[in-house]
Amino acid sequence: MRQHDTLFIGGEWVAPAGSGTIEVVNPHTEQVIGRVPDGTPADMDRAVAAAREAFDHGPWPRLSFAERAEAIGRLAEIYAAKQGEMAALITEEMGSPITFSQLAQAPQPLGMLQYYAEYGRTFQQEEQRPGLFGPSTVRREPVGVVAAVVPWNVPQFVSMTKIAPALLAGCTIVLKPAPETPLDAYLLAEMVQEAGIPGGVLNIVPAGRESGEHLISHPDVDKVAFTGSTAAGRRIAAICGEQLKRCSLELGGKSAAIVLDDADLAASMGMLAIASLMNNGQACVAQTRILASHRRYDEVVEAVAGMVTSQAVGDPSDPATGIGPLVAKRQQERVEGYIKIGMDEGAKVVVGGLDRPQDRGWYVAPTVFSGVTNDMRIAREEIFGPVLAVIPYEDEADAIRIANDSDYGLAGTVWTADADHGMDVARQVRTGTYGVNCFMLEANVPFGGYKASGVGRELGPEGLSSYLEYKTISRLG
C-alpha cells in the first residue's frame, strides 16, 4: 500500500485542507494499492497562491532560458535513473502492459525533458527585426501561472507535454492528476525536489472534477493546459473564453488506418497492433477504424482478426501480456456497452464480443467488427478500449473521404508498399499527426489535432510557444 497524506505545494509536503481521500485501485486485482488526499478548492487556492508567488517574486521566471534548461537537464538525469520504477508504478495503478510502460509511459516523458533541456540551451529570449523607423525587439516572456489538468491513460506523458515546455518558458504550474492515477505524480514531485527546482514552480494536487473546475476557473491562473475528453474540453474552453484566459486542449480521436491494396499485410500487422491497440486501446491516437478496399476486404479482416487474437490478454505486469485490463469498472462497462451497440447496429463480431476473458479484473475481450459503415456509432464515437471496426472503401479517394468524415482529426496512418505515395495520402487527411507504415510521437515535432480533437499544439518548438507571450518593443534613437 502506497500511503500519501500530504500534497506538494510551494516545494513542501503540506497537510490537505480536507479529510477526504482518493483510493487507487489496481485494475488487474481490483485491490486498493494506494491512498492520497482528495484535494479541495481550498487546496487549489493554496497551490495557485504558491505558483503565483513563485512567478511574481521568485527566481524561476527571471532565470535565463539556458539556466532553466540546465535545471531541466538535472531533472532529466534523475528521471532517467528512475524510469523503470515509474514504468512499473504506472502499470500497477492503471493497467498498462509493462512492455508498453517501458516503451512509452516512462521513456517518452524522459525524452521530452531531454529535448527541452537541449533546446533551451541556445534559445534566444529576444530577437531583433528591422523596421521602417528603426529596429524592433521581439521578446518572449512566460505566460504566467499554468493549470495543467491531465487524464489517467498516459499520465506522465500528458503531464510532461505540459510541464517540460512550461518549465523552460519560465512558467509556474499547478498539476491536477486524475483520481485514478495520482501515484506517479508523487514520484515526479520527489524528483523535482531532488533536482532543486525552486519551491512553488511545480505544485501537485490530486482531486476530482469539482476541485479541478475550481482550479481552471481561478482568476490567478493565466493559462489552462488540458488533455481529456472532448466534452470536458468544451466546458473548459467556455470557462477560459469567458475569462479571456489562454488555453490549449488535446482532446479525443477516432483515427483511421487506411490499408491500400499494395500493402504487405503480414509485415504491417505488427506495427498496426501497436497503433491500434496500444495501452489496451486507451489512447486518443489509437487507429480504431481500419479502412480496407472491397477487393481485399476479407483478407484484411482476417489479418486484423489474427493480429488481435495473437495478443495475450492478462496480467499487465507480465512481459508476455499484450492487452491488460481497462482502468476502472465504469470503463469496462462503457466499452462493453459499445460492443453491444455495434452488434445492435448490424456489425459482425469477428473476434471478441461480450464474454470477458478474465474472471477477475476489469477486462474486456479485444474485439474486431466487420461489416461496419462509417455512419455507425462504433465508427464515429471514441470507445477508448480494444475495439476495432473494419470499414470497406471503393477506391483511394473514397478511403480518404471516409478518413476525413469524422468529428475528430487527431491522428491517422496509411499502409502501403509505396511510402512516397503514402506521403501523398498523408497530405490529404485532415489530422494533426500521421504515419506512413508506422505511428509514432516525437518530442521535437508538434502534436495536436484538427476539429473536435483540440486547440493548439504540444511538443516541439510549437509546444514551447504556447507557454510564451510575445512582446514587441520599438525604439527610435
Side-chain angles (χ1 to χ4, degrees):
M1 169 73 74
R2 299 172 186 266
Q3 181 80 31
H4 297 283
D5 300 318
T6 55
L7 303 171
F8 188 62
I9 297 176
E12 299 177 346
W13 297 101
V14 303
S19 59
T21 59
I22 295 171
E23 290 190 336
V24 183
V25 181
N26 181 299
H28 170 63
T29 65
E30 300 185 37
Q31 299 299 309
V32 176
I33 59 165
R35 190 172 288 112
V36 304
D38 186 359
T40 66
D43 293 314
M44 291 301 180
D45 289 341
R46 185 173 180 181
V48 172
R52 186 82 262 166
E53 175 66 20
F55 185 79
D56 291 343
H57 305 292
W60 189 254
R62 291 152 190 87
L63 298 176
S64 68
F65 277 87
E67 289 171 322
R68 289 194 293 266
E70 182 180 355
I72 294 169
R74 291 197 304 270
L75 178 58
E77 290 175 359
I78 296 166
Y79 204 107
K82 296 187 177 182
Q83 64 174 322
E85 180 182 355
M86 181 65 81
L89 179 56
I90 293 174
T91 288
E92 188 179 7
E93 67 182 341
M94 60 76 55
S96 181
I98 188 62
T99 51
F100 184 75
S101 290
Q102 293 170 341
L103 174 70
Q105 294 275 21
Q108 286 199 320
L110 170 60
M112 296 174 208
L113 286 171
Q114 292 170 330
Y115 167 74
Y116 282 110
E118 181 62 29
Y119 185 65
R121 289 190 177 99
T122 57
F123 189 83
Q124 297 299 306
Q125 183 163 15
E126 295 186 353
E127 171 192 349
Q128 302 297 320
R129 299 183 189 178
L132 291 175
F133 301 104
S136 292
T137 298
V138 178
R139 179 174 169 83
R140 301 165 180 89
E141 299 180 348
V143 72
V145 174
V146 174
V149 180
V150 301
W152 45 260
N153 61 324
V154 278
Q156 280 292 296
F157 177 94
V158 292
S159 294
M160 206 58 73
T161 61
K162 297 152 182 56
I163 292 170
L167 287 177
L168 181 57
C171 297
T172 59
I173 307 151
V174 178
L175 173 68
K176 191 202 83 67
E180 295 82 1
T181 53
L183 300 178
D184 61 277
Y186 276 81
L187 179 56
L188 175 62
E190 293 170 6
M191 297 185 209
V192 167
Q193 275 191 314
E194 187 178 345
I197 305 294
V201 172
L202 177 63
N203 308 273
I204 299 176
V205 183
R209 181 173 298 179
E210 179 183 348
S211 295
E213 184 160 323
H214 183 81
L215 170 64
I216 290 162
S217 306
H218 200 291
D220 281 339
V221 167
D222 299 298
K223 173 184 165 64
V224 174
F226 172 77
T227 297
S229 72
T230 297
R234 288 191 173 100
R235 171 64 179 160
I236 291 167
I239 293 171
C240 292
E242 178 66 27
Q243 297 182 3
L244 293 179
K245 181 180 296 184
R246 294 351 180 220
C247 75
S248 53
L249 307 170
E250 195 273 287
L251 308 176
K254 193 69 180 178
S255 302
I258 300 174
V259 182
L260 296 183
D261 280 345
D262 65 350
D264 182 335
L265 295 183
S268 299
M269 286 301 116
M271 188 65 77
L272 185 57
I274 298 172
S276 61
L277 296 172
M278 68 176 84
N279 204 30
N280 312 329
Q282 297 170 130
C284 53
V285 296
Q287 315 290 294
T288 54
R289 292 185 295 155
I290 314 296
L291 276 51
S293 77
H294 285 293
R295 291 173 293 281
R296 297 191 71 185
Y297 186 78
D298 291 343
E299 187 181 356
V300 172
V301 169
E302 182 180 359
V304 171
M307 174 266 286
V308 170
T309 55
S310 72
Q311 303 296 308
V313 179
D315 185 350
S317 66
D318 184 345
T321 293
I323 298 176
L326 300 184
V327 72
K329 183 173 180 60
R330 71 172 192 283
Q331 190 69 12
Q332 178 190 50
E333 293 172 347
R334 169 188 167 85
V335 174
E336 288 179 339
Y338 270 104
I339 293 173
K340 186 176 187 305
I341 286 169
M343 296 166 67
D344 292 343
E345 288 181 311
K348 177 185 176 183
V349 173
V350 181
V351 296
L354 293 173
D355 291 334
R356 293 177 178 174
Q358 303 283 336
D359 294 333
R360 182 189 66 176
W362 295 313
Y363 290 86
V364 298
T367 299
V368 176
F369 281 104
S370 66
V372 180
T373 59
N374 203 50
D375 59 350
M376 292 182 178
R377 287 183 63 188
I378 58 170
R380 303 204 70 82
E381 299 177 15
E382 188 174 37
I383 298 173
F384 229 60
V387 179
L388 308 181
V390 187
I391 302 172
Y393 65 81
E394 295 291 340
D395 54 25
E396 184 177 296
D398 190 42
I400 294 168
R401 179 193 65 78
I402 293 171
N404 285 329
D405 180 18
S406 174
D407 294 334
Y408 299 103
L410 187 58
T413 53
V414 61
W415 305 84
T416 174
D418 185 346
D420 288 337
H421 181 65
M423 290 293 293
D424 294 334
V425 173
R427 293 183 178 101
Q428 298 177 69
V429 180
R430 289 182 54 77
T431 66
T433 308
Y434 209 81
V436 179
N437 296 326
C438 65
F439 185 79
M440 60 187 68
L441 298 174
E442 304 277 4
N444 64 332
V445 293
F447 170 63
Y450 292 33
K451 299 182 279 187
S453 288
V455 176
R457 292 294 182 269
E458 296 179 315
L459 302 180
E462 295 79 5
L464 176 61
S465 293
S466 70
Y467 293 92
L468 296 172
E469 293 283 15
Y470 290 80
K471 175 186 291 181
T472 298
I473 306 172
S474 300
R475 59 175 288 180
L476 286 176

